[in-house]
Amino acid sequence: MRIGVTREAWPGERRVALVPDGVTALRKAGLTVTIERGAGDAAGIPDDAYAKAGAEIADRTTAASADILLTVHAMPADTAWKSGQRSEEHTSELQSR
């Protein structure tokens, strides 16, 4: 199973849905992780850190086509999903206030 992480498109968002330690844990569990090139830049996490943790660095299309897509914010309603694909968003309670 492949986990994907894309760069957040929400205006002003600096977070990323997965940090390198999370990549390490997912890899230990036998999963493949694909990170969009530059996904961690706004959070100060370079692609190198993800690659060292075992992630594949790829373009947005490749990362977004994973079996499970991790995001900070929900994907837009017009997102084209592949059959059986899931999205897990991690929004903060502070943003809903």
Side-chain angles (χ1 to χ4, degrees):
M1 179 168 289
R2 190 162 59 92
I3 308 297
V5 175
T6 56
R7 179 189 306 242
E8 291 296 319
W10 193 269
E13 181 58 73
R14 299 182 55 85
R15 296 174 296 170
V16 63
L18 189 66
V19 296
D21 285 346
V23 172
T24 301
L26 291 170
R27 295 287 296 141
K28 284 182 181 175
L31 302 170
T32 301
V33 180
T34 304
I35 306 286
E36 178 185 357
R37 192 170 288 103
D41 287 353
I45 305 170
D47 291 341
D48 264 13
Y50 286 110
K52 287 178 185 172
E56 170 190 35
I57 308 301
D59 60 41
R60 184 175 186 82
T61 301
T62 302
S65 70
D67 300 304
I68 297 175
L69 182 60
L70 300 181
T71 63
V72 174
H73 292 277
M75 296 296 286
D78 62 351
T79 300
W81 299 101
K82 71 179 190 176
S83 178
Q85 187 178 32
R86 290 190 52 183
S87 173
E88 296 294 328
E89 54 273 343
H90 304 281
T91 56
S92 167
E93 282 185 31
L94 295 175
Q95 292 174 339
S96 63
R97 293 183 185 172

